[in-house]
């Protein structure tokens, strides 16, 4: 009886060795993750509704800001590179993003208080707005009494070029050389904005 059991165990072990040697992919398959697989379950650091594919290059401080040429709420095309200001706060937002809306009054205030050095450009992720696209954005800006520049990213191309991970996201761009001097993922308070502006005054 014992001899039969030992023989059976030996056969199973030998079969296992043969399979592992000739088909190693069966054992490694569970550990192989493709470049587009990205688990964000339970990630409380993300303040947005959707995520940029992780295999895209993330724009960081020191890099050159991609050109932004989009229409404003009046249907006029604007090139952000041509804005006459020392620095531009390029803010990506949407009307369904509550942290974005909470941040808006402070963006208005920072531009009013420091208009000699900073201008705000709010780039709306228009392609993911829920209804009537342009109208919902224009209504929100008008009702809020905001007068900073608002641009409409209707196709989402600028959103992708700036490798947005979550909304809101803000880039502080130095206009003289189009260099990104600060990237802020998530909502800012007015105190944080003001601190960034004071740091800019030393650059």
């Amino acid at each position: 009886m014992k001899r039969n059991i030992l023989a059976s165990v030996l056969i199973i072990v030998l079969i296992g060795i043969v399979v592992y040697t000739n088909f190693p992919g069966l054992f490694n398959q569970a550990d192989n993750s493709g470049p587009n697989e990205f688990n964000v379950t339970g990630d409380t650091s993300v303040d947005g509704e959707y995520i940029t594919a992780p295999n895209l290059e993330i724009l960081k401080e020191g890099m050159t800001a991609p050109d932004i040429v989009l229409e404003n709420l009046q249907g006029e095309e604007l090139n952000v590179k041509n804005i006459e200001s020392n620095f531009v706060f390029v803010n990506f937002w949407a009307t369904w993003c509550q942290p974005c809306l909470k941040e808006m009054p402070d963006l208005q205030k920072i531009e009013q208080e420091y208009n000699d050095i900073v201008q705000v450009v709010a780039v709306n992720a228009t392609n993911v707005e829920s209804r009537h696209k342009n109208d919902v954005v224009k209504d929100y800006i008008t009702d809020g009494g905001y007068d900073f520049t608002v641009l409409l990213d209707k196709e989402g191309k600028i959103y992708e070029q700036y490798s947005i991970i979550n909304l809101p996201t803000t880039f502080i761009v130095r206009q003289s050389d189009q260099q990104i001097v600060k990237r802020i993922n998530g909502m800012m308070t007015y105190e944080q904005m003001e601190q960034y502006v004071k740091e800019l005054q030393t650059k």
Side-chain angles (χ1 to χ4, degrees):
M1 182 69 176
K2 290 183 178 180
R3 184 175 299 175
N4 291 337
I5 294 175
L6 288 175
S8 298
V9 170
L10 182 60
I11 292 172
I12 292 172
V13 171
L14 290 174
I15 292 174
I17 292 173
V18 170
V19 172
Y20 181 82
T21 301
N22 292 280
F23 306 99
L26 294 175
F27 296 87
N28 297 328
Q29 186 175 6
D31 296 329
N32 289 338
S33 298
N36 292 318
E37 295 178 7
F38 191 49
N39 181 13
V40 295
T41 304
D43 187 353
T44 58
S45 67
V46 177
D47 291 332
E49 296 285 339
Y50 59 108
I51 304 296
T52 296
N55 56 337
L56 294 180
E57 181 182 12
I58 300 298
L59 282 180
K60 302 175 183 177
E61 297 173 10
M63 292 183 174
T64 300
D67 289 344
I68 299 177
V69 182
L70 294 170
E71 289 185 359
N72 60 18
L73 293 176
Q74 292 72 43
E76 303 165 337
E77 190 174 85
L78 175 68
N79 189 333
V80 174
K81 186 185 295 186
N82 296 332
I83 291 177
E84 295 182 0
S85 179
N86 292 346
F87 298 91
V88 173
F89 275 41
V90 180
N91 176 265
F92 288 86
W93 70 289
T95 60
W96 46 259
C97 167
Q98 290 303 312
C100 300
L101 305 188
K102 187 175 180 180
E103 189 179 52
M104 285 291 181
D106 291 332
L107 288 171
Q108 173 85 3
K109 184 178 179 181
I110 201 70
E111 182 178 83
Q112 291 176 340
E113 295 292 327
Y114 295 94
N115 59 11
D116 59 326
I117 185 174
V118 167
Q119 183 168 332
V120 172
V121 174
V123 179
N124 176 261
T126 316
N127 63 314
V128 295
E129 289 290 357
S130 58
R131 62 180 180 85
H132 306 303
K133 304 296 183 178
N134 298 9
D135 291 342
V136 69
V137 178
K138 189 171 184 178
D139 289 347
Y140 173 77
I141 293 298
T142 301
D143 293 345
Y146 302 117
D147 57 13
F148 48 69
T149 300
V150 176
L151 300 180
L152 305 174
D153 188 11
K154 298 177 182 179
E155 298 180 2
K157 291 182 179 179
I158 304 301
Y159 184 98
E160 292 181 2
Q161 289 176 4
Y162 274 75
S163 62
I164 304 302
I165 298 172
N166 57 286
L167 295 175
T169 294
T170 302
F171 293 84
I172 302 177
V173 179
R174 184 167 57 211
Q175 288 297 88
S176 62
D177 58 4
Q178 291 298 293
Q179 186 181 95
I180 297 170
V181 298
K182 196 80 175 176
R183 175 179 180 143
I184 305 98
N185 295 318
M187 189 189 79
M188 297 179 289
T189 64
Y190 179 77
E191 289 72 24
Q192 289 172 320
M193 295 180 193
E194 191 171 43
Q195 180 59 40
Y196 295 145
V197 171
K198 290 179 178 178
E199 293 174 359
L200 295 176
Q201 292 173 326
T202 65
K203 293 184 181 295

